[in-house]
Amino acid sequence: ILKKSVSTKPADQSIVASLRHVKKSFDDLDVLRDISLDLYQNENLVILGRSGTGKSVLIKCMVGLIRADAGEINVLGSSVRSLTPEQLDELRLQIGFSFQGSALYDSMTVRQNLEFPLKRSKTSYKKKELEDLVINALKDVGLENTSDKKPAELSGGMKKRVGIARTLILKPKIMLYDEPTAGLDPITATEINELILRVREKYNTSSIIITHDISCARQTSDRIIALVNGLN
């Protein structure tokens, strides 16, 4: 089994997420066989692997979208597998999840897509506050002029950026990127990689970047872990 780390953690970094001996199967298919890893404060950790090796399942287990069969998952001081649905929702407010397909609502404008998580949070926002948060989030990803467009009017790279903006709008402590450069041309993929680095710099986030793109891994990572046959 391949293990690789391109750097070691600085002594002053604390652990923000920890997985120990995590396992997940679907019927007779063992997807995650024994996964242990740590994510450190302000770190970009890349999990590299071929399609179908369980990378996306891993981060979905981290936020409780999929329940692990065994092992311990601790995120921001909470044991994920023991949380109630209400407690999971509270934890997810601190975690930005950038889905592979961007997961934008086709019937909504870009503005409405970004307002959606704000309106579902427990904080009440005035109309002007919502407008400012949306515009600032879009400025962060270089798309401040797209607020009234529908997802169908955007390119693949623009959809990725809007998806990232939607995750940033709640100022998460951890960012999870699922195949952020999948399906993009090399120039657009490089722009997304640079955006990931800017997000970390501006928001002081800790990030896990799931990818099978070697260029993405090299450009964005502080450390790389290779996932092979459900093991790391």
Side-chain angles (χ1 to χ4, degrees):
I1 300 303
L2 175 64
K3 292 184 179 181
K4 181 180 180 183
S5 177
V6 296
S7 66
T8 57
K9 83 173 188 77
D12 60 348
Q13 280 186 307
S14 58
I15 295 174
V16 296
S18 177
L19 283 70
R20 292 291 180 269
H21 307 296
V22 173
K23 300 179 181 180
K24 179 63 185 178
S25 299
F26 296 97
D27 297 324
D28 295 329
L29 178 63
D30 295 329
V31 179
L32 303 177
R33 296 165 59 194
D34 188 3
I35 299 295
S36 296
L37 61 85
D38 293 317
L39 174 66
Y40 298 99
Q41 177 63 43
N42 200 224
E43 176 186 38
N44 277 354
L45 172 64
V46 165
I47 299 180
L48 186 67
R50 301 170 69 176
S51 297
T53 55
K55 304 185 303 297
S56 296
V57 171
L58 176 62
I59 56 174
K60 288 177 180 177
C61 287
M62 286 183 64
V63 295
L65 293 175
I66 294 175
R67 182 170 175 81
D69 297 327
E72 178 63 27
I73 302 172
N74 190 288
V75 179
L76 297 173
S78 296
S79 178
V80 172
R81 295 185 67 218
S82 64
L83 296 180
T84 65
E86 293 77 15
Q87 290 170 328
L88 268 176
D89 286 342
E90 289 288 334
L91 178 63
R92 288 169 183 155
L93 292 175
Q94 303 178 73
I95 302 171
F97 199 121
S98 178
F99 292 90
Q100 181 173 343
S102 301
L104 301 177
Y105 297 104
D106 292 336
S107 61
M108 296 182 181
T109 64
V110 168
R111 180 192 307 277
Q112 291 167 334
N113 267 281
L114 267 65
E115 288 177 348
F116 186 79
L118 294 172
K119 291 179 176 179
R120 288 180 61 87
S121 71
K122 292 184 177 180
T123 304
S124 296
Y125 297 94
K126 296 179 181 179
K127 183 178 180 180
K128 182 62 165 59
E129 290 176 319
L130 283 174
E131 291 176 354
D132 289 345
L133 286 167
V134 167
I135 293 302
N136 287 335
L138 289 174
K139 283 182 178 178
D140 284 341
V141 299
L143 291 177
E144 57 267 37
N145 296 321
T146 64
S147 60
D148 295 322
K149 293 183 180 295
K150 294 286 187 68
E153 301 176 77
L154 305 177
S155 68
M158 293 168 76
K159 289 178 184 178
K160 294 274 189 180
R161 287 174 178 269
V162 172
I164 293 172
R166 188 175 60 182
T167 65
L168 291 176
I169 206 161
L170 291 175
K171 305 295 190 293
K173 296 178 180 178
I174 293 175
M175 286 289 292
L176 303 176
Y177 298 93
D178 191 2
E179 297 285 3
T181 59
L184 302 179
D185 63 85
I187 294 175
T188 304
T190 297
E191 291 174 348
I192 295 297
N193 294 337
E194 292 171 350
L195 175 58
I196 290 171
L197 295 174
R198 290 201 304 272
V199 165
R200 191 260 297 270
E201 181 178 353
K202 178 170 182 177
Y203 290 96
N204 195 33
T205 54
S206 307
S207 303
I208 291 180
I209 302 152
I210 298 296
T211 189
H212 62 269
D213 180 350
I214 296 295
S215 295
C216 175
R218 287 174 174 166
Q219 190 171 353
T220 63
S221 67
D222 297 309
R223 252 188 329 135
I224 298 174
I225 292 175
L227 193 61
V228 181
N229 296 327
L231 293 164
N232 69 311

